Amino acid sequence: MKDLTIAGVQALPCSVPLKQAVTQGLGQVTKRDTVIVKVTTTDGLTGYGESYNGRAPLAIAQTVNTTLRDLFTGMDAVATTEIWARFESRVLANHGTCAACVCAMSGIDMALWDIKGKALGLPLYRLLGGSARPVPGYAGGFALGYAAPAAVAEEALAQVALGYRAVKLRLGDTLHRDSERTRVLRAAVGSDVALLADANCRYSVDDVRAMLPVLTDARAGWLEEPFPPYADRSWRAAAVAAATALPLAAGENCYTRYDFQRLIDAGSVSVLQPDLSRCGGVTEALRIAALASAAGLPVCTHGCHTGLNFAASVHFLASIDNGLYFEADGSTDNPLRTVACSASYELAADGTVSPLEDPGLGVQLDEDFIRAHPVTEGPAWH
């Protein structure tokens, strides 16, 4: 029996420049920042995970390399429930669900599940009780942003040609331009392709009311994040306005099951979207999915930057009873997925993805590439 005691925990923050800037509701993005987490055991097994950068990758890396490393070193790497309980009692109990701590924990937890799968020789989805069933994917990520309507339509048609049966349009520009892009995109992709919409927290309640006729006429599948997750009054008002016309989706900016429980209790959101690199990792995502299942709500993952997150998300969705969509990477330029990692998913002709079969996450990480791209100071979004 291998000695799976945690011997090392290390964060590897990195940045990669983008060849072509993309403009969305958050601004113009010129690079990708992320934090790779590496966990090693006494017997030399290595697991990798991804922590969301939280606009502060150095702070998250330091949290991994100090507080959480000291907290978990010497524990059993496969005891993910016990490790998470220690994190909750020693960190969350004093600091609340603050972004940096939970993002840091998310990467560690993902790496621990990678180790667990490698130790047992099983892919993650089998550890979670899932099956190799296909999961519908949609083209998301840094795609379909603020460009001319014809250019957005051309980009979407290229994604449909790859096999996607659903695409996500970015809103939050002016209402006129949002409306125009929505109409042109629906006309371009036709009625057989699902159209989803994401406002990146840039709308007011009046904006939602103004866009409802446009989005319902375009048969949008949902309106994602019109407001920040803490804007409770806006969510309630928008939910009333959209009650019979359009589902509201949110969750990528929520941390731990406690944030998601409040979202469910408010009754304003119809689709939950945890990100495994910021909600608390695989362990916490499973709890969130159970809460959603009990409430009769579907779960879709929010995509992050590297193939580690994408692979973990497919495993997770193939293992729960209420998975709806996998947010695939529709970006034309993402070396953290295409160069730093082996393939994390393959899109089938019917627009679905299936979990990888190699042990753990099933992804091989090029650590040399990550180390050759240390994190650069300055904001990724302008």
Side-chain angles (χ1 to χ4, degrees):
M1 184 68 177
K2 287 184 177 294
D3 185 348
L4 298 178
T5 301
I6 296 174
V9 178
Q10 183 184 16
L12 303 172
C14 67
S15 300
V16 292
L18 299 183
K19 297 175 183 176
Q20 182 177 0
V22 177
T23 301
Q24 297 178 344
L26 299 176
Q28 186 180 70
V29 62
T30 57
K31 65 170 181 167
R32 288 180 183 263
D33 296 328
T34 198
V35 179
I36 301 299
V37 178
K38 179 182 181 180
V39 178
T40 54
T41 69
T42 300
D43 273 3
L45 272 182
T46 299
Y48 292 102
E50 178 185 357
S51 291
Y52 179 65
N53 65 75
R55 304 289 185 98
L58 287 173
I60 289 171
Q62 279 298 90
T63 302
V64 171
N65 287 335
T66 56
T67 303
L68 299 187
R69 179 200 65 193
D70 297 344
L71 199 60
F72 302 143
T73 298
M75 296 187 72
D76 182 356
V78 301
T80 45
T81 302
E82 181 183 0
I83 290 169
W84 222 99
R86 176 174 286 193
F87 169 70
E88 183 166 356
S89 65
R90 301 282 188 88
V91 180
L92 294 190
N94 299 112
H95 301 289
T97 55
C98 56
C101 289
V102 182
C103 288
M105 181 61 194
S106 299
I108 293 174
D109 183 84
M110 189 182 295
L112 293 174
W113 280 97
D114 192 30
I115 286 175
K116 192 183 301 192
K118 290 172 178 175
L120 296 174
L122 294 173
L124 177 57
Y125 77 86
R126 292 195 64 191
L127 294 181
L128 302 180
S131 63
R133 61 182 177 83
V135 177
Y138 73 83
F142 295 171
L144 300 188
Y146 296 174
V152 173
E154 182 179 0
E155 184 182 356
L157 288 172
Q159 293 168 337
V160 172
L162 292 174
Y164 288 108
R165 310 312 300 161
V167 297
K168 187 165 78 176
L169 174 65
R170 301 293 178 156
L171 306 179
D173 197 358
T174 69
L175 291 179
H176 174 74
R177 288 194 285 265
D178 283 353
S179 300
E180 187 177 10
R181 290 190 190 102
T182 301
R183 293 187 178 103
V184 169
L185 185 57
R186 170 48 78 197
V189 300
S191 60
D192 294 335
V193 175
L195 172 59
L196 311 171
D198 184 353
N200 284 128
C201 306
R202 303 290 294 176
Y203 273 176
S204 67
V205 175
D206 286 342
D207 292 335
V208 172
R209 292 192 178 109
M211 282 297 294
L212 274 176
V214 178
L215 293 170
T216 53
D217 186 60
R219 301 181 303 286
W222 70 53
L223 173 59
E224 180 177 338
E225 288 209 315
F227 325 109
Y230 52 77
D232 294 341
R233 290 175 63 87
S234 294
W235 278 104
R236 286 194 293 270
V240 171
T244 60
L246 183 66
L248 300 179
E252 69 179 81
N253 290 311
C254 293
Y255 301 90
T256 78
R257 62 193 183 275
Y258 301 111
D259 277 2
F260 279 87
Q261 184 64 68
R262 287 195 290 272
L263 203 61
I264 292 169
D265 290 344
S268 304
V269 175
S270 300
V271 181
L272 297 183
Q273 300 170 303
D275 184 326
L276 272 63
S277 291
R278 62 172 107 171
C279 75
V282 176
T283 300
E284 194 70 351
L286 292 171
R287 295 164 173 162
I288 292 164
L291 290 175
S293 178
L297 299 177
V299 169
C300 302
T301 52
H302 173 263
C304 218
H305 295 288
T306 79
L308 300 170
N309 173 281
F310 290 116
S313 297
V314 179
H315 285 295
F316 164 72
L317 289 167
S319 306
I320 61 176
D321 66 344
N322 51 341
L324 178 59
Y325 273 124
F326 163 67
E327 180 174 14
D329 186 14
S331 313
T332 57
D333 179 19
N334 182 9
L336 288 176
R337 178 178 67 83
T338 59
V339 180
C341 295
S342 60
S344 50
Y345 62 88
E346 291 187 8
L347 188 71
D350 63 354
T352 61
V353 297
S354 296
L356 299 176
E357 291 293 343
D358 285 345
L361 298 181
V363 171
Q364 305 303 312
L365 180 77
D366 186 345
E367 194 173 316
D368 290 337
F369 177 90
I370 298 299
R371 292 183 182 276
H373 293 81
V375 71
T376 57
E377 294 187 5
W381 296 87
H382 299 270

